[in-house]
Amino acid sequence: MQKTEKIWMNGKLVNWDDAKIHVLSHGLHYGTGIFEGIRCYNTQIGPAVFRLKDHIKRLFYSAKIYNMKLPYSEAELMEAVKKVIRVNGLKECYIRPVAYYGYGELGVEIKNNPVDVAIAAWPWGAYLGEEGLKRGIRCKISSWARIDLRSMPTIAKATANYANATLAKMEAINAGYDEAILLNTHGYVAEGPGENIFIVNGGSLMTPSITTGILPGITRSSVIEIAKDLSISIMEKEIAREELYTAQEAFFTGTAAEVTPIREVDDRVLGKGERGPITEKLQSLFFDVVKGKNKKYETWLDCV
Ligand code: PY5
């Protein structure tokens, strides 16, 4: 990763190399952390954070689900995000706020463990590659099921969830694919390890409903709104694996992944094996929106 100068840690700006935690931190041992992934784009009105308030709100929902008391307000964390971007002189970057139970006791019970909060920002290009954004990527359905909502709260963006995501990603990469797709424990299409998924089948755009056990992505909700504005009808429903195999188009959405077309699933070529026309339309408007080229969506941008 590309280092920057400063990281915000518990209210102070520290040097990148000094942003360290104790090896006996609770979050490291038990995955008791929550986080966000946010992007800042260089727009016509200067560097602007995409849907900052919504990301910070989701961080607070994740905290609420885990009964974690964040020692800062929403406004304070929003300001801290902007500060990190400013002090590092960044124009376009990825921002990672993380909150976790820190060093104190090491039983599973949270006892004398502080809630530590950190925010880092650094330049991060296309998560699934520039080539992937244009040509689409090859995916493998994972042998690992997406965490079940009876075992873990799936709508919280918790660090613990990403052990499941890492297993799926690893398996896909080792098998020679670009990314994994996880089914839920009922066999329905859920999402990628770090992305939501959309498909176009029989001319209809569809995406797994929240009750499938996915993370309610902010890019997902943005793309749903953009689609409605383009008069592309969109269904949120349960999607079977075979609907994915027979789709004419598919794409991932996510802060890191942005809008990345999927051209193959388990060696089945989707459509013409390239970025499909509906995907291209949505992707192109999405990039216009995040880059401030569309007045209608200016309220989604927060100037740094
Ligand atoms: N589903 C999962 C499991 C995710 O981790 C993410 C985001 C999404 C969906 C998409 O959500 P959103 O559109 O709100 O970003 N993943 C993180 C991201 O920053 C981490 C990726 C490494 O994109």
Side-chain angles (χ1 to χ4, degrees):
M1 67 194 302
Q2 198 178 324
K3 274 192 200 179
T4 55
E5 286 279 310
K6 301 281 184 191
I7 292 179
W8 186 97
M9 272 185 106
N10 295 324
K12 292 193 188 76
L13 289 167
V14 300
N15 290 332
W16 179 281
D17 288 330
D18 298 328
K20 294 176 181 161
I21 63 164
H22 199 281
V23 74
L24 297 178
S25 298
H26 198 280
L28 178 64
H29 292 251
Y30 307 125
T32 48
I34 55 163
F35 70 101
E36 270 306 314
I38 314 174
R39 271 192 195 268
C40 170
Y41 291 91
N42 196 12
T43 74
Q44 277 145 356
I45 47 168
V49 184
F50 185 61
R51 301 192 67 172
L52 176 59
K53 203 179 175 65
D54 296 312
H55 280 284
I56 297 298
K57 272 215 157 82
R58 189 171 63 187
L59 186 74
F60 277 79
Y61 282 137
S62 300
K64 175 93 189 269
I65 291 167
Y66 275 92
N67 213 4
M68 176 190 267
K69 309 238 166 348
L70 294 175
Y72 303 95
S73 68
E74 284 185 24
E76 282 168 332
L77 290 185
M78 281 174 69
E79 193 40 49
V81 164
K82 293 189 198 173
K83 195 169 178 180
V84 173
I85 300 168
R86 276 197 301 265
V87 295
N88 287 304
L90 296 163
K91 290 192 165 56
E92 285 209 330
C93 60
Y94 180 86
I95 305 121
R96 172 57 61 88
V98 60
Y100 53 92
Y101 287 108
Y103 172 73
E105 298 288 330
L106 209 54
V108 169
E109 181 189 357
I110 312 279
K111 200 172 151 190
N112 302 323
N113 297 89
V115 174
D116 289 325
V117 186
I119 306 171
W122 65 94
W124 198 359
Y127 180 65
L128 296 163
E130 273 302 326
E131 181 79 1
L133 283 179
K134 292 193 192 86
R135 289 195 54 220
I137 58 165
R138 297 176 58 247
C139 296
K140 181 190 190 309
I141 294 190
S142 186
S143 68
W144 298 100
R146 158 79 177 159
I147 49 162
D148 189 84
L149 64 171
R150 289 166 298 189
S151 307
M152 311 268 280
T154 54
I155 68 164
K157 198 165 168 63
T159 58
N161 299 357
Y162 292 81
N164 170 252
T166 305
L167 286 168
K169 178 93 193 191
M170 224 184 272
E171 182 187 60
I173 298 294
N174 288 340
Y177 297 85
D178 303 310
E179 187 56 298
I181 295 170
L182 292 103
L183 307 180
N184 69 9
T185 50
H186 299 285
Y188 289 102
V189 176
E191 59 182 344
E195 309 91 356
N196 292 117
I197 190 168
F198 286 73
I199 70 168
V200 178
N201 199 332
S204 310
L205 179 66
M206 50 189 106
T207 190
S209 49
I210 301 293
T211 50
T212 309
I214 58 168
L215 180 81
I218 290 166
T219 320
R220 175 186 180 275
S221 83
S222 309
V223 166
I224 289 173
E225 275 197 49
I226 286 171
K228 283 179 182 159
D229 278 354
L230 289 172
S231 303
I232 299 170
S233 69
I234 158 94
M235 272 185 284
E236 293 179 60
K237 66 182 247 332
E238 278 181 333
I239 297 174
R241 180 179 191 149
E242 52 268 38
E243 289 179 87
L244 180 55
Y245 284 165
T246 58
Q248 292 80 54
E249 297 183 37
F251 59 88
F252 277 133
T253 63
T255 298
E258 299 166 308
V259 176
T260 301
I262 298 169
R263 67 182 155 92
E264 238 179 83
V265 179
D266 287 349
D267 309 308
R268 276 82 167 174
V269 174
L270 307 190
K272 292 184 180 148
E274 58 189 27
R275 174 173 58 188
I278 295 177
T279 305
E280 188 164 2
K281 230 175 165 175
L282 292 167
Q283 188 192 44
S284 147
L285 183 50
F286 172 79
F287 280 117
D288 278 355
V289 167
V290 296
K291 290 183 177 162
K293 292 179 188 161
N294 194 309
K295 273 226 163 317
K296 193 168 172 192
Y297 301 92
E298 257 179 16
T299 53
W300 282 350
L301 301 173
D302 218 309
C303 263
V304 171

